[in-house]
Amino acid sequence: MEKISINIIDFDGERYSIKTDVDLNSNLMDILKEEGFSMGHCGGMALCASCHCYVEHNKELPTMSIEEESMLDQLNNLNQTESRLICQIPCTPELDGITIKLVRN
Amino acid sequence: MIKTDVLIIGAGPCGLFAVFEAGLLKMKCHLIDSLPQAGGQCAEIYPKKPIYDIPAFPEILAGDLVNNLMQQIKPFKPGFTLGERVESIEKKKDGSFLVVTNLGTEHLSKVVVIAAGLGCFEPRKPLIDNLDFFERKGVDYIVKDPKKYTDCKVVISGGGDSALDWASFLANNIAKEVTLIHRRDSFRGHPDSVDKIMEMTKEGKVNLITNAEVTSISGESSLSQISIKTENGIVIKDTDFWIPLFGLTPKLGPIASWGLNLNKNAIEVYPHDYSTNIEGVYAIGDINTYPGKLKLILSGFHEAALMAQSAFKHVFPEGKKSFKYTTVLGGIKGF
Ligand SMILES: Cc1cc2nc3c(=O)[nH]c(=O)nc-3n(C[C@H](O)[C@H](O)[C@H](O)COP(=O)(O)OP(=O)(O)OC[C@H]3O[C@@H](n4cnc5c(N)ncnc54)[C@H](O)[C@@H]3O)c2cc1C
Ligand code: FES
């Protein structure tokens, strides 16, 4: 199976990289949850914002749905250019090398 | 002092169903929740979404599930302390528990059941200096009593339904002046709510400032001024209240300091009865963990039933319980 690498910047600013399978049925929230980060309370329905992260837009990302925009609208730590709910980003090959910065929500 | 047999912390679906299972064994229950309404995640996060894995309901809206549970437990007359967060649990010499909320309400019970889900729903607070100082001195995160704002100047921040709805409600003959500040230039709330705000802005009843956010707050003993960063620079505004409405998010909160064995923000329990390391304290639903745990409503319901059977011995040490189907005695009236 094709693999992609994801760079993570954790809460302490520590940078590391993980490799994961390309899988359209799984999203970046699923991957980070498996990594042990507490997120995904709503199961990936853009309803809880527990998966809000800053994503470096050096990669082609899926456009935001109205549900995602409306959830992000409510956040106080919104970063207009980098904030995403990563449960809305499926693990496609295009993400290879993407950088995700964790945010305390 | 509120006295009860079983005190349930958290009025989500699992806490509510625990009232039924305890009621069948003649144990009286009282529920406490930090939210102003019962229903936990189902009521707060997804009331209008259908759930498909509740046994015998091919499809049911989360809000309807809560309404049904409330109806199902009504005959057992549970008590409710809503809008208050449990801060402390103290075990007395006689084995009973004193449970106190943030507002100082005291509860005494023989058994405590923690059904706290993902934790307490708390407001998302803006990242502003001095915010703590002005809390309840001009800064409110929820509107509990709208009359409080009568003839006052109020600034509301947020772009969701609650910001839109409270802005229009308070601007209608309650507050002297209402300003709504939103980070973007478009609103994603319910179209009716958005239309209403736009209409009221045209009529001069609401001051709408978009593409803007509050960057600092100030005042002597209470809030009197806020600074707003807008497209045209900083605007200083006099105000009596600032109500940032950025939604609620669950936080584990005080549970971490109650002496319970925790594992990744969940309470470790013995899976035969969901008891914790403190005798007389149980944990059911999303808040607990044990090998094979599934965070599902259906699992929480099962946990509530086993918990009640075990809690019986603490409530009626001399009592003898016999297991009966609800059908046998002609419904719950027979219990
Ligand atoms: C979008 C979404 C979809 C879901 N879909 C499904 C599904 O299809 N099927 C399914 O089975 N499950 C689903 N779930 C999960 C399900 O909602 C939870 O498993 C369930 O709500 C857990 O119930 P609970 O009673 O344990 O806790 P909760 O519902 O989380 O309620 C806990 C309550 O405790 C209160 N509380 C916590 N600490 C304190 C304190 N210190 N003082 C006072 N009150 C406190 C909280 O305010 C809260 O109201 C879904 C969840 C979400 C968010
Ligand atoms: S997991 Fe809830 S918004 Fe992404």
Side-chain angles (χ1 to χ4, degrees), chain A residues 41-43 45 47-48, chain B residues 9-16 32-35 37 39-42 45-46 49-54 84-87 115-121 251-255 258 284-287 295-300:
Chain A
H41 302 338
C42 73
M45 291 168 75
L47 279 173
C48 71
Chain B
I9 301 172
C14 305
L16 292 175
I32 309 179
D33 204 299
S34 56
L35 290 173
Q37 80 278 342
Q41 294 171 52
C42 295
I45 305 184
Y46 64 111
K49 296 263 177 218
I51 307 177
Y52 301 97
D53 59 352
I54 303 298
E84 296 185 33
R85 184 177 71 190
V86 173
E87 289 295 326
L118 300 169
C120 256
F121 279 97
K251 293 257 155 66
L252 186 63
I255 296 171
W258 295 345
I284 61 168
D286 278 11
I287 191 72
K295 284 191 186 184
L296 285 178
I297 295 168
L298 119 98
S299 321

Side-chain angles (χ1 to χ4, degrees), chain A residues 41 45 47-49 66 69-78 80 105, chain B residues 41 45-46 49 118 124-127 182-184 186 188 246-247 250-251:
Chain A
H41 302 338
M45 291 168 75
L47 279 173
C48 71
I66 289 181
E69 276 197 29
S70 100
M71 187 73 239
L72 287 174
D73 258 0
Q74 299 193 34
L75 302 184
N76 45 32
N77 49 0
L78 178 82
Q80 298 271 13
N105 290 305
Chain B
Q41 294 171 52
I45 305 184
Y46 64 111
K49 296 263 177 218
L118 300 169
R124 291 197 184 91
K125 297 186 181 182
L127 306 168
H182 181 38
R183 213 185 268 127
R184 299 179 190 248
S186 60
R188 305 280 171 195
F246 295 121
K251 293 257 155 66

Side-chain angles (χ1 to χ4, degrees), chain B residues 107-186:
Chain B
H107 307 75
L108 193 68
S109 76
K110 294 172 187 150
V111 167
V112 171
V113 177
I114 305 175
L118 300 169
C120 256
F121 279 97
E122 294 192 354
R124 291 197 184 91
K125 297 186 181 182
L127 306 168
I128 297 268
D129 289 344
N130 299 332
L131 191 68
D132 296 358
F133 177 79
F134 290 106
E135 283 175 6
R136 287 182 295 279
K137 290 184 218 153
V139 173
D140 291 337
Y141 304 110
I142 41 173
V143 180
K144 263 196 186 150
D145 177 16
K147 280 197 224 86
K148 174 177 171 184
Y149 308 100
T150 305
D151 292 331
C152 294
K153 291 183 177 177
V154 180
V155 175
I156 295 177
S157 288
D161 278 328
S162 64
L164 292 165
D165 293 346
W166 281 120
S168 59
F169 187 86
L170 294 179
N172 251 331
N173 302 322
I174 296 181
K176 179 159 60 180
E177 182 190 294
V178 173
T179 305
L180 177 62
I181 300 175
H182 181 38
R183 213 185 268 127
R184 299 179 190 248
D185 56 5
S186 60

Side-chain angles (χ1 to χ4, degrees), chain B residues 195-208:
Chain B
D195 289 349
K196 199 162 173 195
I197 280 294
M198 292 307 168
E199 192 62 30
M200 292 179 89
T201 306
K202 258 194 231 145
E203 291 166 7
K205 288 186 178 164
V206 171
N207 303 323
L208 180 61

